[in-house]
Amino acid sequence: MKEFEAAYVPIGVGTFHMPSADAAFDASKKLLKSICANVDVPDEKLLTIDSLRSYLDSIHPDLIILQNLTFANAAYASEVVHRFHDVPILLWTLREPVIDGTRLRLNSLTGAFSAGNAIRQLSGQNFAYVYGSPQEEQVIRSVKNVIAAAIVRYEMHHLTIASIGHTPEGFGFGRALDLDLLEKFGVHQIAVEARELIDRAKQYSEKDVERYLQDAEERTTGLEKTPEKNRMDFARLYRAYDEFVKEHHVGALASRCWPDFFTSYGTPVCAVLAMMNDLGVAAACEADTYGALSMWAGMKLSQKPVFFGDPVSLDEKENTITFWHCGTAACSLAREDTGAAIGEHCNRHIGPTMEFGIKPSEYATIFRIGRNPDGTFRFFIAEGKALDKPKQFYGTSTVIQTKDSAQKIIECSVKDGWEPHFVVVYDDAADQLEALADMLKMPVTRY
């Protein structure tokens, strides 16, 4: 696929104060180039419709940064939207550089109202908006967030997600239709039965999986204590998943786990999914496809593994929510004092699964792409930090101290009907996720 491209579109008219416009033009180009290597910038300010059309002819953007260098009437924004009606837009208004009782130097803000009105009237689409000069921290932060979200949206349109097996009875909230994924997110879905991966794994000899076993032993601690049959069957399954992912160019997967891998194979898939997460492939259990997509988005924004699990405990005094699951967390998330310890499944008493608490993080974002009863989608976002806590229960767990009331988050999210699986992103990704939701035309609830 081609690389992501942003396009800087600085519009205006020549009757305003050109020295001020020139200074803003140069500073804006410098800022954008420092944030995104692949940003198209015009050689000159776009001060006429003809110059705008000529520049638009030369670009193929995945994000448009439409800036009012000075006032420009709605015809400028209309031309942009008409050409690129499906491309996300960041509308950028410049602060008036001087207020001294004389002329308006730029009148950028009035131009923004004209542009914003034209965008909504012509396309009805959401657009991001930022007000301020290129040197302002909040502007720099906002532009970075929007570009990051646009890159994720672009890569999402090139994502293949795999559904391996069906959701268990009563877990239908994670079941996804290929047409929904393609229409709403631009994601391609492939689906196979869990037995196909099981049958593939059974074909490997011990020699065939030596390097997979060695890799897992280097990532974990205590794998050698797992019964030999389970240890070797885990390595076989690890190779089966790894090869399947590579053959089909899979970026995220949702795998059935219980009861099949216990009853039909005799070894859980939990630790295999942990290996996938450690390798950068978002891997959700219980066949939760929208959970896997949520994981993938969080991993792309944070550039590190995320946690996937259930909210299982609330501490009102500490203002914390504990998220837990049976043992699929990425090895690299493990606390340093325990490492990525290996255990056995808490209910089935078969291993290997992961057994550790997650290391602390100053920033944590709780996230979920949820499905509404009418088939539309919404984003759950809450902010906090991951505390320095040991493993809370058998399996893997993370304790999040939320920015707002943890009790209120639990009460509201249950009443609002959110799915029981959530993603914890170990970064401050809330604004980026909200920008992504806007680009996908999906509502956000920030708790």
Side-chain angles (χ1 to χ4, degrees):
M1 66 179 183
K2 78 175 186 71
E3 292 188 51
F4 169 85
E5 293 180 34
Y8 172 47
V9 183
I11 57 174
V13 292
T15 54
F16 285 88
H17 190 247
M18 286 301 100
S20 296
D22 288 337
F25 180 54
D26 291 340
S28 299
K29 287 192 296 181
K30 182 178 179 181
L31 172 60
L32 293 175
K33 287 288 188 181
S34 71
I35 295 173
C36 180
N38 295 322
V39 57
D40 292 305
V41 299
D43 295 329
E44 302 290 343
K45 305 181 297 295
L46 305 176
L47 303 181
T48 67
I49 292 292
D50 285 342
S51 65
L52 173 63
R53 287 172 177 164
S54 178
Y55 176 59
L56 297 181
D57 286 340
S58 70
I59 59 175
H60 302 87
D62 303 297
L63 170 69
I64 292 171
I65 300 163
L66 179 63
Q67 183 191 67
N68 280 97
L69 272 176
T70 74
F71 171 80
N73 64 49
Y76 289 76
S78 300
E79 188 71 30
V80 173
V81 175
H82 176 69
R83 298 281 195 101
F84 303 109
H85 61 278
D86 288 328
V87 177
I89 294 174
L90 167 60
L91 180 59
W92 183 358
T93 298
L94 293 169
R95 190 179 300 278
E96 194 64 26
V98 178
I99 300 176
D100 60 0
T102 61
R103 67 171 300 185
L104 275 166
R105 267 66 167 187
L106 300 177
N107 197 19
S108 178
L109 184 54
T110 303
F113 275 89
S114 294
N117 178 261
I119 295 168
R120 291 305 298 266
Q121 292 293 331
L122 282 173
S123 67
Q125 74 180 64
N126 296 332
F127 58 90
Y129 178 69
V130 62
Y131 174 86
S133 302
Q135 299 84 2
E136 296 177 33
E137 284 301 318
Q138 60 90 15
V139 170
I140 297 169
R141 183 170 58 251
S142 295
V143 173
K144 284 182 177 179
N145 287 339
V146 172
I147 290 175
I151 291 172
V152 171
R153 177 186 180 271
Y154 171 75
E155 293 183 350
M156 190 178 279
H157 281 71
H158 298 85
L159 171 65
T160 296
I161 194 167
S163 296
I164 301 173
H166 300 288
T167 56
E169 182 180 0
F171 285 71
F173 60 83
R175 195 173 303 153
L177 296 176
D178 52 358
L179 294 180
D180 280 347
L181 285 168
L182 189 59
E183 179 189 5
K184 304 300 183 183
F185 300 96
V187 173
H188 295 269
Q189 181 189 33
I190 59 174
V192 298
E193 296 296 335
R195 70 170 181 273
E196 293 186 35
L197 277 296
I198 291 174
D199 289 345
R200 178 187 282 220
K202 289 178 178 178
Q203 295 173 5
Y204 301 131
S205 68
E206 290 190 8
K207 186 173 180 58
D208 290 335
V209 297
E210 282 180 352
R211 71 179 181 88
Y212 286 90
L213 186 59
Q214 180 181 354
D215 176 72
E217 288 175 342
E218 291 173 355
R219 294 176 186 272
T220 63
T221 177
L223 183 58
E224 72 281 356
K225 298 177 184 177
T226 304
E228 184 177 0
K229 181 183 184 304
N230 295 113
R231 187 167 66 250
M232 295 311 302
D233 283 348
F234 152 75
R236 292 183 175 96
L237 202 58
Y238 182 9
R239 176 170 175 173
Y241 271 70
D242 184 59
E243 290 188 343
F244 174 81
V245 162
K246 290 173 180 174
E247 288 168 6
H248 297 279
H249 307 288
V250 170
L253 65 89
S255 178
R256 186 176 175 92
C257 45
W258 60 270
D260 308 59
F261 285 92
F262 297 103
T263 58
S264 299
Y265 188 63
T267 296
V269 73
C270 307
V272 173
L273 301 183
M275 299 301 117
M276 294 293 102
N277 282 316
D278 223 27
L279 292 170
V281 178
C285 55
E286 295 176 328
D288 184 355
T289 302
Y290 293 119
L293 183 59
S294 303
M295 292 178 73
W296 178 87
M299 289 169 71
K300 286 293 178 180
L301 288 172
S302 65
Q303 294 297 300
K304 64 185 80 167
V306 299
F307 186 84
F308 174 81
D310 309 332
V312 297
S313 180
L314 166 67
D315 187 323
E316 295 91 337
K317 291 182 179 179
E318 197 175 49
N319 199 46
T320 60
I321 303 170
T322 298
F323 292 87
W324 163 92
H325 226 272
C326 312
T328 64
C331 304
S332 54
L333 291 178
R335 293 171 53 86
E336 292 183 6
D337 58 349
T338 63
I342 292 289
E344 61 181 30
H345 192 273
C346 52
N347 295 330
R348 305 280 178 155
H349 305 295
I350 304 173
T353 63
M354 310 311 297
E355 275 285 317
F356 55 79
I358 304 300
K359 59 189 176 185
S361 174
E362 186 63 29
Y363 298 104
T365 306
I366 307 166
F367 172 54
R368 170 81 199 190
I369 297 172
R371 189 174 184 274
N372 290 309
D374 63 359
T376 59
F377 294 89
R378 57 181 177 169
F379 277 37
F380 176 109
I381 301 173
E383 300 168 77
K385 63 180 180 179
L387 300 186
D388 188 3
K389 294 278 190 177
K391 174 172 65 76
Q392 302 292 289
F393 308 98
Y394 289 138
T396 51
S397 59
T398 184
V399 180
I400 306 302
Q401 187 174 69
T402 56
K403 186 175 180 180
D404 292 321
S405 166
Q407 181 178 0
K408 184 177 180 182
I409 290 171
I410 291 295
E411 290 174 352
C412 291
S413 55
V414 170
K415 291 178 71 174
D416 289 344
W418 286 94
E419 296 84 345
H421 288 160
F422 290 85
V423 171
V424 178
V425 184
Y426 295 100
D427 205 347
D428 182 8
D431 290 343
Q432 297 171 355
L433 287 167
E434 184 159 357
L436 176 62
D438 278 347
M439 293 175 189
L440 295 172
K441 302 179 182 179
M442 295 175 186
V444 173
T445 302
R446 288 183 75 155
Y447 290 89

